[in-house]
Amino acid sequence: MSPLGIYIAAVVTALATYFWRAFGVAVGGRLDPQGRAFEWFSCIAYAVLAALVVRLVVFPAGGLLELTLPVRLSAFALAIGVFFLARRNVFLGCGAGTSAVALAAWLT
Amino acid sequence: MREGLAAGAKVGAGMPALVLGASYVGFGGFVRDNALGLDIAMFTTFTAWALPGQLVMVELYLAGAPLLAIALGVALANMRLAPMCTVMLPVVRVEGRPAWRLYLAANWVAITCWALTMLHAPNQPREQRLSWFMGCALTLWAASLAGCAIGYFAAGAFPHPVSLALVFLNPLYFGLLMLQDLRNRQRLLSMLCGAGLCAVLHPFVPEWSLLIAGVAGGSLAYLLSMRGKA
């Protein structure tokens, strides 16, 4: 069993997470989907997600730091290349990228 | 409703369930590495189900941070969920149906099923779309819980290169998922601005880079695309 304290932290985590989901729905009911405010919100949603990808690939926190930045970027570029060559097949793209990372980790 | 649920579950049950399950294998392993129990790993996956916030929670708890700091950290890590819910709303909403359905469904909005719903749900009849989303989300939720348990028990059992490949799978999958639909130039521009700003800002303000890059990058892309239209 985990200590009681982390359960309190987990409940706080769930509440803080649901807060944004409900907030997004509440705001959405008031915005016109064809309107400019909505378009702006949509731009922010996609920008945050792209930033998250950059953060995980370029500035990883854990084990991925064992691979150099050029290696991580090459694996990512390879995945994108295979993805487009295979007519936007996410499965093949992911397979190529993760294989490249596993191979690079095995060689270093 | 059933057709929608089944169709969404079918899309979720393929590659998305495998990839998301694999990310939660990483989370289960991470929790065990930090000497916490399987119970908390499952509890937080069941209740919050948004990986970045869960990682923040475990890290801050172990660092001895006060509850307020944990609440703020998680809120920052998961703030992206708000615009995602807003953007999904007009896709799944049906005039005249009660709002509680939307508030309930919002509890399962997370990046993978959100991206899939934005991609596939517009091709479904409007009354089926919310069920489509729920079918997809519940399938992915189940895969996450299963992955979490598998990762907890298998921590240390995988060879090291395989564990690294699993960690790399997350950004790779999110990235490719977003590149699947490039017809919308404004979205593409938003992604480029968000990615570029994050790369520039992160070395200086690691705690804030994600939010600044999102808000500033998204706004910049919005302004640029408006200029193009005018």
Side-chain angles (χ1 to χ4, degrees):
Chain A
M1 274 294 282
S2 308
L4 183 65
I6 196 164
Y7 272 94
I8 300 171
V11 169
V12 166
T13 297
L15 292 176
T17 304
Y18 184 71
F19 170 78
W20 288 122
R21 289 170 167 144
F23 181 81
V25 174
V27 169
R30 287 178 188 85
L31 291 184
D32 166 19
Q34 311 296 327
R36 300 198 153 186
F38 190 83
E39 263 186 39
W40 177 56
F41 236 51
S42 176
C43 285
I44 291 178
Y46 282 90
V48 176
L49 293 181
L52 183 64
V53 170
V54 166
R55 187 150 143 178
L56 293 170
V57 174
V58 182
F59 310 103
L64 282 178
L65 278 173
E66 290 166 33
L67 303 175
T68 62
L69 180 61
V71 169
R72 279 177 265 139
L73 288 180
S74 309
F76 202 85
L78 175 76
I80 292 180
V82 169
F83 167 77
F84 280 112
L85 280 178
R87 295 185 186 174
R88 302 192 183 173
N89 186 317
V90 176
F91 182 78
L92 290 179
C94 284
T98 48
S99 308
V101 162
L103 186 68
W106 184 59
L107 291 174
T108 44
Chain B
M1 192 181 110
R2 277 217 190 121
E3 301 97 89
L5 267 177
K10 199 175 157 199
V11 169
M15 181 66 185
L18 273 180
V19 174
L20 198 65
S23 338
Y24 272 91
V25 167
F27 180 68
F30 171 77
V31 167
R32 181 170 205 165
D33 262 357
N34 288 297
L36 292 166
L38 175 64
D39 53 312
I40 193 68
M42 298 298 276
F43 179 77
T44 182
T45 302
F46 192 84
T47 53
W49 198 42
L51 196 47
Q54 290 174 250
L55 291 170
V56 168
M57 188 268 285
V58 173
E59 292 213 341
L60 290 181
Y61 173 80
L62 291 170
L67 267 185
L68 182 66
I70 294 178
L72 285 176
V74 171
L76 284 180
N78 284 343
M79 192 183 150
R80 69 190 183 296
L81 295 170
M84 281 161 55
C85 287
T86 304
V87 170
M88 204 179 89
L89 198 62
V91 174
V92 297
R93 182 167 46 191
V94 180
E95 283 301 319
R97 281 199 188 162
W100 64 262
R101 289 161 159 262
L102 296 166
Y103 282 97
L104 181 66
N107 188 46
W108 284 274
V109 169
I111 178 167
T112 307
C113 59
W114 175 78
L116 288 171
T117 302
M118 295 300 287
L119 193 65
H120 295 286
N123 306 324
Q124 301 283 324
R126 178 162 285 280
E127 318 77 63
Q128 298 284 339
R129 290 180 188 170
L130 196 63
S131 332
W132 194 99
F133 165 77
M134 283 312 295
C136 186
L138 293 176
T139 307
L140 292 171
W141 195 36
S144 307
L145 288 163
C148 187
I150 292 170
Y152 189 85
F153 289 117
F158 290 119
H160 188 59
V162 177
S163 326
L164 282 192
L166 280 178
V167 178
F168 198 67
L169 190 56
N170 279 304
L172 203 54
Y173 181 68
F174 294 160
L176 295 185
L177 208 56
M178 286 193 294
L179 290 178
Q180 250 188 343
D181 183 13
L182 291 180
R183 280 165 302 178
N184 188 327
R185 295 283 138 184
Q186 197 178 37
R187 274 185 205 172
L188 184 63
L189 195 61
S190 306
M191 290 190 255
L192 288 174
C193 290
L197 262 184
C198 181
V200 173
L201 288 174
H202 193 81
F204 305 104
V205 278
E207 310 87 350
W208 296 94
S209 60
L210 199 63
L211 279 178
I212 301 177
V215 175
S219 306
L220 180 69
Y222 173 75
L223 291 174
L224 287 174
S225 64
M226 280 297 133
R227 262 182 73 185
K229 273 183 200 169

